[in-house]
Amino acid sequence: MARKLKSFSRPKAGSLKNSYEMIIAKRRKGALEIQLNRPDQLNAINEAMAEEIIHAMDAVELDRKTIAVVLYGNERSFCAGADLGGFQDLPEDRYDNYRARYNQRKNRLLYRFLMNYTKPVISAVEGYCLGGGFEMAMMGDFIVASETASFGLPEGKHSLIPGAGGTQNLPRLIGAPLAKELIWTGRRISGAEAKEYRIVNHVVEGGKALTKVREIIEEMKGVGPLATMMTKQSINRGVDMTLQQGFMQEADMAYMLSWSDDRKEGLQAFSERRKPDFKGQ
Ligand code: COA
């Protein structure tokens, strides 16, 4: 007798919790805005905060109405890095800690989760953006800073290294010599200096970083969400490929999009001189 095969149904969006302990997560005008909310610790990330960020972002990844995620803190601090009180490595636990380093430790999983997220992740930075906080912002897609922002990777001062992507992402952004100087001194740089090095896309007046990000997201609404998903993948994959491989994977993305209803709608709307109504399919 033939086997009955169960087919998968379309995956569905999850739900945000009504409230979280370490973050405030709210939907606003097509974006999920996540405010890091441990002000007394300058928003240092601990396991619970990492888990909550993953939970909230996971809940909206399949929600077609959410086109981007915004990370922000408060005027004093975006995030002062990993919670320095949080790690103990007893000799008898070492291999469990080693095994846990990628998936079980949420404060590590978060960084790869951010890198692989299929929607734009934008950081609005005011105040301190240090260590793991800076690494979190770099794992996202781009950063908008205010004049009050202060970026740095001071881990070496604790004989730690920027182990959440900092030694890889910073040199890719600004080149190895400058990245080495910043990591080897732990020096903090202003929003303006970060703009000069192209770490951030914009520097705005103090208190205005989130407003600027919201304006950019409004403008992003004119672009089809599937095109944004594919170009994010194409750019992220392409930077680690040869140019020829990059062109080939880009052509694959372009071809995959040709089957979408949104592409038809985009072209139809252009010919009818109206705004397209994208459905994300
Ligand atoms: N982890 C845990 N707690 C942190 C923290 C971190 N990464 N960064 C700051 N805090 C806490 C402080 O312990 C302090 O708590 P307390 O009031 O209970 O003592 C509170 O946040 C305020 O910090 P404080 O140092 O008093 O403020 P400041 O304005 O004098 O200095 C910084 C601000 C950011 C320069 C300083 O807190 C600092 O250097 N933090 C560590 C940054 C770092 O090395 N990050 C990389 C971690 S790998």
Side-chain angles (χ1 to χ4, degrees), residues 83-270:
D83 190 314
L84 287 169
F87 194 66
Q88 191 186 44
D89 193 29
L90 298 173
E92 64 269 31
D93 294 341
R94 287 215 169 116
Y95 289 101
D96 292 320
N97 285 331
Y98 177 76
R99 194 186 292 283
R101 74 196 190 287
Y102 282 145
N103 299 318
Q104 303 306 321
R105 282 188 65 205
K106 304 306 174 203
N107 199 7
R108 284 289 171 273
L109 181 63
L110 170 65
Y111 294 84
R112 283 176 301 111
F113 180 82
L114 285 169
M115 186 179 75
N116 294 318
Y117 200 68
T118 57
K119 295 182 177 185
V121 179
I122 308 170
S123 298
V125 174
E126 310 269 348
Y128 295 118
C129 183
L130 304 176
F134 186 13
E135 291 173 291
M136 176 163 56
M138 284 192 283
M139 278 292 184
D141 296 297
F142 59 84
I143 305 173
V144 171
S146 89
E147 287 162 351
T148 68
S150 176
F151 294 90
L153 292 177
E155 285 90 338
K157 293 185 174 184
H158 316 295
S159 197
L160 301 167
I161 72 163
T167 64
Q168 303 306 302
N169 281 331
L170 191 61
R172 280 169 169 78
L173 277 178
I174 67 177
L178 196 46
K180 286 173 183 164
E181 183 190 323
L182 292 180
I183 292 170
W184 291 347
T185 59
R187 179 163 74 83
R188 295 205 292 264
I189 59 170
S190 66
E193 204 174 347
K195 171 84 169 25
E196 186 191 326
Y197 302 156
R198 307 182 78 137
I199 291 171
V200 307
N201 285 10
H202 305 274
V203 192
V204 295
E205 197 186 314
K208 293 280 166 37
L210 183 58
T211 309
K212 178 70 184 173
V213 169
R214 287 173 175 166
E215 284 166 16
I216 296 170
I217 289 174
E218 275 312 305
E219 217 179 324
M220 282 164 48
K221 289 181 183 169
V223 169
L226 298 181
T228 300
M229 172 167 70
M230 295 305 190
T231 45
K232 175 166 174 168
Q233 284 188 64
S234 184
I235 293 168
N236 286 1
R237 290 176 185 180
V239 289
D240 283 328
M241 288 177 172
T242 64
L243 191 57
Q244 177 62 17
Q245 288 166 337
F247 287 145
M248 287 175 74
Q249 63 89 33
E250 182 190 73
D252 293 344
M253 304 279 166
Y255 185 60
M256 255 194 281
L257 263 192
S258 65
W259 308 319
S260 72
D261 293 348
D262 280 359
R263 180 172 180 267
K264 280 186 220 119
E265 167 63 10
L267 296 176
Q268 185 82 24
F270 177 73

Side-chain angles (χ1 to χ4, degrees), residues 3-9:
R3 276 177 209 273
K4 256 194 173 172
L5 296 177
K6 273 192 187 158
S7 58
F8 290 103
S9 54

Side-chain angles (χ1 to χ4, degrees), residues 41-62:
Q41 289 78 29
L42 304 182
N43 295 328
I45 319 175
N46 58 12
E47 282 292 288
M49 184 190 279
E51 199 165 357
E52 289 186 354
I53 296 171
I54 292 172
H55 183 279
M57 290 178 63
D58 197 47
V60 303
E61 191 167 17
L62 283 160

